[in-house]
Amino acid sequence: MRSHLRLTQIAILFALFALTPLRWTCAESDDATTARTANVREIIEHLASEDFAGRRGVDARRAAEYLAAEFEKLDLKPVFDNESYLQPVPGPPGEQNESTIAGWNVTGRYTHPEARFPEEYVIIAAHHDHLGRTASDIYFGADDNASGVAMVLEAARLITSSDNVINRSILFVSFDLEEHLLFGSRWWTAHAPVTLEQVKFIIVADMLGRSLGDLPLETVFLFGAEHGAGVRESIRKIDFGPAAKPTLLSDDFVGLRSDYGPFRDREIPFLFASTGQSRDYHTPQDTADKIDFKQVAEITTGLTELLVDVANRSEPPRWILDPPVEMGEVKAIEEICEQIRRKAEAWNLTPVQRFFVDQASTHARKILRQKEITPADQAWLTRTTQLLLFSVF
Ligand SMILES: [Zn+2]
């Protein structure tokens, strides 16, 4: 009996072990609310391919047409004249003073048939243009910003393939000419397909596939949530996955960085999502083979969940003009500095970078100990965050 029993136990154990690794290996669930790594990979590799030659001018237009075709496949509704997804952005007059077109914004609309507030809109957006090519190089722009465009397309797939009721209409937008002083989003807000009063919230993503200075920070920076009542609380309820823990920071800390600017200027609640500038930022080395596709997928799932959460609120987020800086932001700066200090050796940080990180960490700890943020501290936080995120690395 016993030997027979032991055999059965072994068989059961074996079956268990046989099963467990399999389930773990395919960790990415296939439900309708989870972005697929394979999808974002396909989109990024396509847009950051030689074929699109860095997506500037006519090549940016081809990227816009690719997006319009994908929007049509997802049955999003066109919103511009002549039933078009494309909005021409005028350029300077030509030699004969003829009108010219500098770029093409792309927009598609989704309204659930049972939406309670179909005339109110939330937007999810990115920019599809980049720096183009030179005689010798192509600026592929895999992270900047094929990764953001992949997020918008995959979010559209998730939302249009779900049966869940969504109470406000959603606009999926890709701007052109972001690399030209945000001219595409400035034109879009000045010639919007709906009145801006109807726009209640916008998420803009720019660079989701790498990390700040290529440091293994496992975080996605989320700026500007402080200007929308309740948006931070919504973010804290969402699991962005192990690769992209949200770091909430005030947008004042980064100044104007991407296409959320024209919406912020009109006091429309917004969120700017970015994993930070890699060391290949704005170089021909920003290629698809360096993208963390799983990270992009995880962030896409989180941002889509946030967009739907805001779309289903009874009241849309109210604009907060002068939100206080939260201690959580100081904590975030301190944590980032700590992660960088731990990796200083491995990442060959220069003496200046080490000194800067040490200073930032010490000051952040001082603020955390005093449990209050003075105006001088706030000024320091602004300077430090800008340096940390956009120049030291
Ligand atoms: Zn960009």
Side-chain angles (χ1 to χ4, degrees):
M1 186 59 175
R2 212 162 38 156
S3 65
H4 170 65
L5 254 180
R6 202 172 305 121
L7 271 177
T8 329
Q9 284 163 334
I10 293 168
I12 293 168
L13 273 174
F14 180 76
L16 257 179
F17 269 100
L19 269 176
T20 313
L22 265 178
R23 200 154 21 81
W24 247 304
T25 47
C26 46
E28 191 165 70
S29 71
D30 200 23
D31 66 39
T33 62
T34 304
R36 293 196 193 122
T37 302
N39 290 353
V40 296
R41 177 185 193 130
E42 190 186 319
I43 299 161
I44 293 170
E45 288 178 343
H46 184 55
L47 286 169
S49 64
E50 284 205 16
D51 185 32
F52 282 101
R55 304 185 308 275
R56 183 180 176 149
V58 289
D59 300 311
R61 173 166 185 167
R62 287 190 306 111
E65 285 161 352
Y66 156 74
L67 288 165
E70 293 301 305
F71 281 5
E72 190 168 10
K73 279 187 213 156
L74 293 166
D75 199 25
L76 296 179
K77 304 302 174 223
V79 295
F80 296 115
D81 299 348
N82 312 317
E83 294 283 297
S84 178
Y85 297 100
L86 298 173
Q87 177 188 46
V89 181
E95 278 164 20
Q96 317 304 323
N97 213 19
E98 74 284 10
S99 64
T100 67
I101 293 177
W104 298 84
N105 293 329
V106 195
T107 303
R109 174 180 57 80
Y110 171 81
T111 303
H112 189 283
E114 293 160 49
R116 286 175 55 207
F117 316 109
E119 292 307 315
E120 295 188 5
Y121 293 82
V122 295
I123 302 176
I124 193 156
H127 73 90
H128 56 268
D129 68 305
H130 195 51
L131 304 175
R133 63 171 314 149
T134 63
S136 56
D137 286 305
I138 292 178
Y139 289 73
F140 294 96
D143 195 28
D144 186 11
N145 192 23
S147 64
V149 173
M151 182 281 290
V152 171
L153 266 182
E154 182 65 359
R157 182 190 69 78
L158 289 175
I159 284 168
T160 53
S161 61
S162 152
D163 301 328
N164 302 338
V165 175
I166 299 177
N167 284 320
R168 289 183 174 82
S169 292
I170 300 180
L171 296 178
F172 299 89
V173 180
S174 187
F175 297 111
D176 202 338
L177 299 167
E178 187 272 351
E179 306 288 2
H180 296 265
L181 302 174
L182 311 180
F183 195 57
S185 54
R186 290 184 197 285
W187 183 265
W188 194 99
T189 43
H191 303 83
V194 297
T195 68
L196 291 181
E197 289 68 37
Q198 294 172 278
V199 177
K200 302 303 179 186
F201 181 63
I202 180 170
I203 295 175
V204 170
D206 204 337
M207 303 185 286
L208 301 176
R210 306 260 307 254
S211 71
L212 174 69
D214 293 324
L215 291 155
L217 294 176
E218 290 151 357
T219 194
V220 57
F221 298 104
L222 300 177
F223 300 97
E226 70 280 3
H227 285 292
V231 174
R232 282 188 163 179
E233 290 68 24
S234 292
I235 291 170
R236 291 192 178 112
K237 286 186 299 184
I238 294 170
D239 175 10
F240 276 76
K245 184 171 119 351
T247 296
L248 291 167
L249 290 172
S250 299
D251 79 297
D252 293 347
F253 293 166
V254 287
L256 180 55
R257 284 280 143 184
S258 193
D259 291 309
Y260 58 88
F263 296 87
R264 181 190 64 180
D265 298 346
R266 290 168 173 80
E267 299 191 348
I268 294 170
F270 69 94
L271 186 77
F272 171 45
S274 179
T275 50
Q277 280 175 208
S278 77
R279 289 184 175 180
D280 294 325
Y281 174 71
H282 279 196
T283 74
Q285 285 68 52
D286 175 6
T287 52
D289 58 314
K290 296 177 187 154
I291 297 292
D292 182 338
F293 300 111
K294 188 166 180 300
Q295 171 181 294
V296 177
E298 286 179 6
I299 297 170
T300 299
T301 304
L303 293 178
T304 306
E305 203 178 323
L306 175 66
L307 188 77
V308 172
D309 177 86
V310 174
N312 283 341
R313 286 223 189 133
S314 51
E315 286 298 320
R318 178 179 41 75
W319 177 261
I320 300 173
L321 187 61
D322 259 332
V325 170
E326 292 184 352
M327 207 45 94
E329 297 176 58
V330 182
K331 187 83 191 100
I333 298 284
E334 200 266 333
E335 275 169 12
I336 297 281
C337 291
E338 224 18 66
Q339 287 197 27
I340 297 170
R341 272 159 48 124
R342 258 186 268 125
K343 313 247 163 31
E345 211 67 48
W347 290 86
N348 297 324
L349 291 191
T350 65
V352 173
Q353 286 173 326
R354 285 172 191 248
F355 172 77
F356 172 79
V357 173
D358 289 346
Q359 287 295 302
S361 176
T362 310
H363 195 135
R365 289 193 188 160
K366 186 211 87 171
I367 298 173
L368 291 169
R369 272 196 309 278
Q370 73 194 28
K371 295 192 172 42
E372 64 152 338
I373 302 173
T374 66
D377 291 327
Q378 183 149 343
W380 171 82
L381 270 174
T382 304
R383 269 196 320 279
T384 302
T385 314
Q386 288 189 356
L387 282 172
L388 195 63
L389 296 181
F390 296 107
S391 57
V392 171
F393 296 98

